[in-house]
Amino acid sequence: MTDFLSLAEDIAREAGDMLLAKRPTMSREIETKSSPTDVVTALDKASEELIRERVLAARPGDRILGEEGGEDPGDSDVRWVVDPIDGTVNFLYGLPEWAVSIAVEVKGEVVAGVVNVPARGEVYTAALGRGAWLGDTRLRCNTGVPLDRALVATGFGYSATRRAVQGEVVAKVLTRVRDIRRGGSCAIDLCSLAAGRVDAYYERGINPWDYAAAGLVATEAGARLGGLHGRPVSPSFAVCAAPGLFEQLHDLLASLDPERDA
Ligand code: IPD
């Protein structure tokens, strides 16, 4: 597990350094994916290529699932789940909230996760059963926060119809909590929760590459991460908070039927 974590950390640092160095002179040309607002830059692709090359050089035969390149076939029990830039829109605009996220799963369970936030100089790491860390500092999420004092992070998808429902839901949540934050990177939101910078997080429509590594950081910091009605976290829905707040936020969200898209 330690070997997986140190390899993932080395690779996430190398990709982050490359992105920081190349961003100032990057091409402004962008491609779009699921909608005109869902962008991908040449550097998303370059970062994923670098990560794939480094993983396969060290561990030929492992499988890789990446946001830009999809899933490599293979029969290994080990799968790397990679977001080469989480928070691509922030990256494009020069905002610091973007991250390189790398998780390692063994037989479907995430055992190691790294979220490198290069523009902030922060690297979050976690290994299953061994805690979550920001550099050398052990992380613990906030506990004992009631829903009406909770600072809640969330995000929105790229489709306009999904966003209409997400807007409806967040309007209701906003009246019941301390405040809402929309940072623009799911991976950073979950790491911020682990570090006590927000109390809770929820979102519909995030993908395994967004949450695999940071989900382990959050749970190793004491948070509960799941879907609605006892289901595991999935692209359908994610809720994360310390036990107690998790249930309160879950029940509020469940009453708003947030898994619909229209
Ligand atoms: C996005 C970010 C954002 C979240 C979106 C994700 P991307 O990932 O994590 O915070 O709200 O749902 O798709 O597109 O920047 O890799």
Side-chain angles (χ1 to χ4, degrees):
M1 209 186 288
T2 323
D3 289 349
F4 281 136
L5 186 60
S6 72
L7 178 59
E9 184 173 346
D10 286 350
I11 297 172
R13 283 181 184 276
E14 188 182 344
D17 289 348
M18 181 279 286
L19 291 166
L20 262 188
K22 294 202 168 161
R23 210 206 78 84
T25 54
M26 76 191 249
S27 148
R28 306 308 293 175
E29 264 174 47
I30 49 173
E31 287 171 36
T32 56
K33 297 191 284 184
S34 61
S35 86
T37 50
D38 185 5
V39 294
V40 58
T41 69
L43 288 180
D44 288 80
K45 292 181 181 171
S47 173
E48 185 160 323
E49 231 163 76
L50 182 155
I51 295 167
R52 282 177 184 271
E53 267 175 36
R54 296 295 182 270
V55 169
L56 293 178
R59 301 213 25 113
D62 283 2
R63 291 180 295 139
I64 303 176
L65 169 67
E67 176 171 16
E68 310 308 338
E71 174 128 35
D72 282 348
D75 53 8
S76 166
D77 283 343
V78 178
R79 183 172 80 153
W80 296 68
V81 183
V82 172
D83 194 338
I85 303 179
D86 185 51
T88 301
V89 174
N90 288 341
F91 181 77
L92 190 63
Y93 279 77
L95 292 165
E97 308 295 298
W98 54 272
V100 177
S101 171
I102 302 181
V104 186
E105 284 176 355
V106 177
K107 294 186 180 159
E109 183 175 38
V110 180
V111 298
V114 178
V115 177
N116 179 13
V117 190
R120 283 208 210 139
E122 293 185 342
V123 179
Y124 295 82
T125 57
L128 187 63
R130 299 194 189 171
W133 303 82
L134 168 52
D136 295 337
T137 307
R138 178 97 190 240
L139 299 175
R140 297 259 173 232
C141 69
N142 295 337
T143 55
V145 180
L147 185 62
D148 62 1
R149 309 281 162 75
L151 186 59
V152 180
T154 190
F156 308 112
Y158 291 112
S159 113
T161 49
R162 176 169 289 179
R163 281 183 175 183
V165 177
Q166 289 175 316
E168 225 179 85
V169 170
V170 78
K172 297 265 172 41
V173 174
L174 184 55
T175 62
R176 301 284 304 277
V177 300
R178 183 188 294 279
D179 209 342
I180 291 289
R181 292 291 179 268
R182 198 297 191 241
S185 158
C186 157
I188 297 179
D189 287 342
L190 287 166
C191 290
S192 296
L193 191 156
R197 294 173 179 173
V198 296
D199 300 304
Y201 167 77
Y202 76 89
E203 186 164 347
R204 166 156 175 74
I206 51 172
N207 289 294
W209 47 81
D210 299 314
Y211 62 75
L216 186 65
V217 174
T219 52
E220 285 294 323
R224 184 171 165 194
L225 172 66
L228 292 180
H229 310 294
R231 294 191 288 264
V233 61
S234 76
S236 184
F237 211 80
V239 188
C240 189
L245 179 57
F246 178 96
E247 289 74 17
Q248 291 178 55
L249 180 60
H250 169 278
D251 293 354
L252 170 61
L253 289 163
S255 75
L256 302 172
D257 188 17
E259 287 176 302
R260 70 206 141 90
D261 281 328

